[in-house]
């Protein structure tokens, strides 16, 4: 345990300790001489010796202590070395809490591996915790010498794409149990808006069939119109099948936050398709994309005909087409516990020292009240 100061210059306030000493010397009770008949026959030669004497010792000591604490508070003291070194055991929600208690000794601290790390005596947390993030947070918050044991089921939910790299070796216990399934549900597919040139409907059959596959019982899964029909709101996907340059209103619609999928014959002036959004089984690009303002523009690299694009006839075509508008797929969160065991050698984080200023402030407030009470009592005692 060691004491340190973030602002050592604040210790100069200890010079203020002279103030109550001077005040007590200057405010001694005045002695009023009283004539006494028998004293006049005594000699005047002996004189009393003057010596420094303090009155009201308890009040003086209280004021000195109050000023000393104020000087320490200004220096911002920090105390380190009081870390709790008891080992930790955390259980992933889904395992038997009783098993974790029986396999742990009395010195261990038992917690759930959940946000806030609640005690194992609390009810099992609901939801699917982010296991990797919680392990990294716990490793950063625990002192370096604290042993960590993790009890978890054979299959994990909520794992991220990278195995945790921790600063300490972790005891990894896989037991019977199952984590609660994630309650996240896929968002419903929005209604598509397709705009095609008049008299050219050869590509509509494939796009209409894909939209029906997403919402088989909905009559509004796709909204088809010619190029002169009004544009949908930016929140609704747009498929533009007209050849030639994209009209200025459509470009403005995309820049305002819309997502548009263009036909292979459609051209976009001044925009370079910088990424590939969809590749076929051989790795050749099928759809390329680029960012435009607040929106996104995509374009087929081939004509929407089976001879040019065989993927139109694949059973997976509706899902892959929808994924273009759903954004990048989320990383898988289900993994075997044995494959997700943390690696050793991560960065160690020093434990932050404890700030003593709040405790000193509370003690100073109590001493101020005590000083006021004693000073008020002293005033009443000397009042005539």
């Amino acid at each position: 345990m060691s004491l340190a100061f973030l602002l050592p210059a604040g210790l100069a306030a200890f010079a203020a300790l002279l103030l109550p000493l001077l005040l007590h010397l200057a405010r001694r009770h005045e002695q009023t001489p009283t004539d006494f008949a028998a004293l006049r026959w005594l000699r005047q030669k002996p004189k009393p010796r003057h010596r420094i004497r303090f009155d009201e010792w308890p009040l003086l000591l209280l004021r000195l202590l109050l000023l000393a604490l104020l000087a320490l508070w200004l220096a911002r003291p920090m105390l380190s070395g009081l870390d709790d070194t008891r080992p930790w055991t955390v259980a992933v929600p889904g395992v038997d809490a009783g098993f974790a208690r029986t396999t742990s000794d009395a010195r261990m601290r038992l917690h759930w591996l959940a946000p806030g790390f609640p005690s194992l005596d609390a009810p099992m947390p609901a939801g699917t915790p982010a296991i990797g993030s919680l392990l990294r947070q716990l490793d950063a918050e625990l002192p370096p010498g604290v042993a960590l044991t993790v009890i978890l089921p054979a299959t994990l939910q909520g794992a991220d794409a990278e195995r945790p790299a921790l600063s300490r070796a972790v005891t990894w216990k896989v037991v019977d149990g199952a984590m609660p399934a994630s309650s996240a549900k896929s968002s419903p597919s929005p209604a598509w808006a397709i705009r095609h040139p008049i008299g050219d409907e050869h590509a509509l059959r494939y796009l209409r069939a894909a939209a029906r596959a997403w919402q088989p019982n909905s009559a509004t899964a796709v909204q088809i119109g010619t190029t002169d029909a009004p544009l949908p709101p930016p929140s609704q996907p747009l498929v533009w099948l007209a050849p030639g340059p994209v009209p200025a209103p459509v470009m403005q619609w995309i820049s305002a936050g819309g997502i548009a999928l263009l036909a292979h014959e459609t051209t976009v002036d001044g925009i370079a398709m910088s990424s590939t959004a969809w590749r076929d089984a051989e790795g050749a690009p099928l759809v390329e994309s680029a960012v435009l303002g607040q929106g996104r523009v995509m374009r087929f690299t081939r004509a929407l005909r089976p001879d040019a694009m065989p993927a139109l006839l694949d059973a997976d075509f509706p899902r892959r087409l929808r994924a273009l508008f759903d954004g990048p797929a989320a990383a898988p969160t289900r993994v075997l516990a044995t494959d997700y065991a943390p690696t050793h050698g991560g960065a160690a984080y020093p434990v932050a020292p404890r700030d003593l200023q709040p405790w000193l402030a509370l003690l100073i407030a109590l001493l101020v009240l005590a000083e006021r009470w004693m000073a008020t009592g002293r005033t009443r005692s000397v009042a005539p």
Side-chain angles (χ1 to χ4, degrees):
M1 182 177 65
S2 60
L3 182 66
F5 300 96
L6 295 183
L7 189 62
L11 297 177
F14 273 105
L17 294 177
L18 297 175
L19 183 60
L21 297 175
L22 297 176
L23 289 177
H24 277 254
L25 286 175
R27 297 184 60 184
R28 294 174 53 190
H29 294 306
E30 295 182 1
Q31 299 179 356
T32 304
T34 302
D35 294 333
F36 191 74
L39 295 179
R40 66 178 183 170
W41 306 107
L42 298 178
R43 294 181 179 181
Q44 300 294 327
K45 289 184 179 180
K47 295 183 179 180
R49 291 179 300 174
H50 294 280
R51 62 180 181 179
I52 298 177
R53 183 170 60 89
F54 295 101
D55 295 330
E56 301 291 341
W57 274 101
L59 182 59
L60 174 61
L61 293 177
L62 183 62
R63 288 173 174 172
L64 290 175
L65 179 59
L66 180 60
L67 289 177
L69 291 178
L70 281 173
L72 288 176
W73 184 85
L74 291 175
R76 298 192 62 183
M78 310 292 290
L79 192 62
S80 59
L82 293 178
D83 306 323
D84 191 349
T85 58
R86 290 180 297 170
W88 269 60
T89 295
V90 291
V92 175
V95 303
D96 184 11
F99 176 84
R101 296 188 187 95
T102 55
T103 56
S104 304
D105 56 38
R107 293 185 61 251
M108 284 190 174
R109 301 182 61 181
L110 307 178
H111 296 266
W112 289 109
L113 188 62
F117 305 106
S119 173
L120 201 65
D121 296 329
M124 181 185 300
T128 303
I131 296 176
S133 298
L134 290 172
L135 285 175
R136 297 181 187 98
Q137 176 186 349
L138 186 60
D139 181 61
E141 293 178 355
L142 290 181
V146 174
L148 178 61
T149 301
V150 182
I151 302 176
L152 64 167
T155 303
L156 300 180
Q157 302 279 358
D160 51 29
E162 182 181 1
R163 290 176 60 186
L166 307 183
S167 64
R168 72 196 73 227
V170 177
T171 303
W172 199 252
K173 292 184 178 180
V174 181
V175 300
D176 294 334
M179 296 185 64
S182 176
S183 59
K185 298 181 179 179
S186 58
S187 58
S189 300
W192 269 31
I194 300 178
R195 298 295 182 261
H196 65 92
I198 299 176
D200 187 0
E201 301 181 1
H202 70 276
L204 290 180
R205 56 180 301 187
Y206 305 104
L207 300 179
R208 187 187 293 112
R212 294 293 186 183
W214 306 329
Q215 301 181 25
N217 299 323
S218 176
T220 61
V222 59
Q223 301 173 3
I224 301 175
T226 57
T227 54
D228 55 353
L231 294 175
S235 59
Q236 186 175 353
L238 172 65
V239 179
W240 188 266
L241 300 179
V246 179
V250 178
M251 297 291 287
Q252 296 174 0
W253 180 90
I254 299 173
S255 298
I259 302 178
L261 177 60
L262 311 179
H264 170 63
E265 298 82 4
T266 308
T267 59
V268 184
D269 296 334
I271 297 180
M273 297 297 177
S274 56
S275 61
T276 301
W278 183 5
R279 296 180 182 271
D280 61 9
E282 288 75 24
L286 293 181
V287 175
E288 52 190 3
S289 66
V291 175
L292 178 59
Q294 299 180 0
R296 186 159 54 99
V297 56
M298 299 177 288
R299 184 173 60 185
F300 285 107
T301 60
R302 307 176 189 180
L304 293 178
R305 302 190 313 269
D307 58 337
M309 188 174 177
L312 291 174
L313 304 180
D314 292 344
D316 199 37
F317 176 75
R319 185 188 66 82
R320 298 296 301 270
L321 191 62
R322 177 184 173 178
L324 296 176
F325 296 93
D326 289 343
T333 61
R334 185 180 177 91
V335 66
L336 293 176
T338 54
D339 296 336
Y340 201 66
T343 59
H344 183 52
Y349 300 91
V351 179
R354 298 184 182 182
D355 188 3
L356 297 182
Q357 266 195 325
W359 301 101
L360 288 178
L362 177 60
L363 185 57
I364 288 172
L366 294 176
L367 290 180
V368 168
L369 294 177
E371 192 274 341
R372 288 294 85 200
W373 177 78
M374 293 182 64
T376 303
R378 172 179 175 276
T379 303
R380 291 178 180 175
S381 64
V382 301

